[in-house]
Amino acid sequence: MVPLQIYVFVLTKCDLENTISHSRVIYEGMREMRMKLLGRTLLIAAFCGSILTVPAWAASVKASYGSAWSSGSILYVKDTAGDGLAVYAPYIKAGASGVAYVYNRSGAWTTVSRNVGSAVKAVKICTENWGPDKCSGWR
């Protein structure tokens, strides 16, 4: 037969004070770590926010046959109609006065992207037509 052993811990006043003191040290250390972590998180968020901000020139336009939008120096042109006609986006870059074009001849529901070199300040979407091309207004 195995004897049943019962352990009884008796905390003296000194042991209890040491335990409480040790708990406070742990709590203060955890609090300090949380504050450092919060500070680092805010610093990272501020840094990433400055990198991921939307540029001053961001353009987008939508019509029944297509859409065009920019993100930084990338211009996207999407064909949203299954009419067999290509879409294109005339655009003006920031600091430029001439009009350039990005075409999407890939078919319905496709998106073409081009790095146009700098931010786009104005864009419109057009569809090639047998008559005059149909275009949205500048945005």
Side-chain angles (χ1 to χ4, degrees):
M1 195 164 194
V2 178
L4 180 62
Q5 296 178 342
I6 299 175
Y7 293 99
V8 177
F9 293 100
V10 178
L11 291 176
T12 63
K13 183 179 179 189
C14 184
D15 291 335
L16 187 57
E17 287 175 359
N18 284 340
T19 302
I20 292 171
S21 175
H22 184 69
S23 296
R24 282 189 185 129
V25 169
I26 291 173
Y27 173 77
E28 290 298 322
M30 290 174 61
R31 186 170 153 225
E32 184 178 333
M33 286 182 358
R34 282 194 311 263
M35 294 304 287
K36 284 182 182 177
L37 181 62
L38 177 63
R40 289 179 183 154
T41 302
L42 292 175
L43 180 65
I44 290 169
F47 178 72
C48 289
S50 67
I51 291 174
L52 301 175
T53 54
V54 176
W57 298 107
S60 68
V61 62
K62 188 181 271 190
S64 61
Y65 44 86
S67 59
W69 67 96
S70 66
S71 176
S73 63
I74 308 295
L75 181 62
Y76 301 89
V77 180
K78 182 172 186 170
D79 186 339
T80 59
D83 56 8
L85 301 173
V87 294
Y88 63 97
Y91 67 93
I92 301 171
K93 294 192 292 187
S97 58
V99 177
Y101 303 87
V102 173
Y103 284 84
N104 180 351
R105 293 187 174 111
S106 302
W109 304 108
T110 60
T111 303
V112 170
S113 63
R114 292 281 183 278
N115 186 337
V116 296
S118 63
V120 175
K121 74 174 183 179
V123 65
K124 62 182 179 176
I125 187 76
C126 300
T127 184
E128 291 184 327
N129 219 338
W130 292 108
D133 290 351
K134 188 175 4 174
C135 292
S136 69
W138 286 101
R139 302 275 194 271

